[in-house]
Amino acid sequence: GQSIDPENRANQRWAFQTGDEISTSPTVVDETAFIGSNDENLYAVNVETGDQQWAFETDGWVNSPPTVADGTVFLGSDDGYLYAVNAETGDEQWFFNTGDLVRGSLTVAEKTVFVGSAEGTLYAVDAETGKQQWQFAANTASVMPVVADSTVFITGGSLYAIDAETGNQQWQYISTGGVHSSPTVRDGTVFFVSGNENLYAVDAETGDEQWAVETGEPINSS
């Protein structure tokens, strides 16, 4: 493995090792860090001591950041399932089968979990029961939902605006080069970058383009 500078090691408070690579960011809530690993587990680790509080086992890599809301950890796995886990105990509350890899970010809003699977479907799932409320075929493997004002915005080949309650498409903005990173929504405007080397601002209500700026190089980050 990569060597650690002795000076940095002296300042290190603790280290926690999983059984395989960690390919995602941790989620920290209160005194606990929740971290997924390619060893197919989600770990809860005390941020002060580095001690493991619990581990939750799936049947696939866990390499998207978990989301914590109201004492529940929501996580996706390469086994195709969305899981709800008690944040304090690690006990499974429910699971939902998406049918394909779950690698995008999860969003929880208004007691609903919005999650995309690799085969290009966005699901709205009841956060308390795990029951599907609706699904939307986005025809893209890059589904990263952002929720604002009862609208879900997802990206992929296009930018879609979807009614958060019904799953009905409100509008679609088509861009050459595809849209493969999460949008940002602020003050009624959606900002996103496209594979055609442009930064766009689009009206969140209508989908009408407000402006576009050439970046000169492709941007793949949000």
Side-chain angles (χ1 to χ4, degrees):
Q2 187 177 6
S3 62
I4 300 176
D5 184 273
E7 184 176 343
N8 290 337
R9 187 185 294 274
N11 294 328
Q12 177 180 296
R13 293 171 57 184
W14 52 261
F16 179 83
Q17 185 170 6
T18 70
D20 206 334
E21 290 184 2
I22 298 173
S23 304
T24 183
S25 303
T27 298
V28 179
V29 177
D30 297 328
E31 299 300 313
T32 303
F34 302 94
I35 182 70
S37 170
N38 287 0
D39 70 5
E40 304 186 346
N41 286 279
L42 175 76
Y43 295 92
V45 179
N46 184 287
V47 296
E48 294 295 330
T49 64
D51 293 334
Q52 177 178 314
Q53 296 176 351
W54 50 257
F56 178 81
E57 184 177 4
T58 75
D59 288 322
W61 291 359
V62 182
N63 57 15
S64 62
T67 298
V68 183
D70 298 328
T72 299
V73 187
F74 302 94
L75 68 141
S77 169
D78 274 12
D79 64 10
Y81 285 87
L82 166 69
Y83 296 94
V85 178
N86 184 291
E88 187 174 340
T89 65
D91 294 331
E92 181 180 279
Q93 296 178 348
W94 52 256
F95 58 87
F96 175 81
N97 186 4
T98 73
D100 208 336
L101 310 179
V102 182
R103 290 191 170 179
S105 301
L106 311 176
T107 300
V108 181
E110 300 298 327
K111 299 189 182 302
T112 301
V113 185
F114 300 94
V115 59
S117 65
E119 45 83 34
T121 302
L122 173 71
Y123 297 92
V125 180
D126 187 291
E128 295 181 351
T129 66
K131 301 297 184 183
Q132 178 179 311
Q133 297 175 345
W134 51 258
Q135 68 182 63
F136 178 83
N139 300 319
T140 173
S142 180
V143 179
M144 305 176 195
V146 173
V147 182
D149 297 327
S150 299
T151 300
V152 187
F153 300 93
I154 55 171
T155 57
S158 305
L159 173 69
Y160 299 89
I162 304 160
D163 187 288
E165 292 187 5
T166 66
N168 294 328
Q169 179 177 309
Q170 296 176 343
W171 50 259
Q172 177 184 4
Y173 183 93
I174 300 174
S175 169
T176 59
V179 187
H180 302 292
S181 58
S182 299
T184 296
V185 185
R186 184 177 178 88
D187 297 333
T189 300
V190 187
F191 302 93
F192 64 96
V193 293
S194 173
N196 65 7
E197 302 179 7
N198 278 275
L199 167 67
Y200 291 96
V202 173
D203 187 286
E205 188 172 341
T206 65
D208 294 333
E209 181 183 314
Q210 296 177 347
W211 50 257
V213 174
E214 291 187 10
T215 62
E217 293 286 342
I219 298 176
N220 297 317
S221 61
S222 301

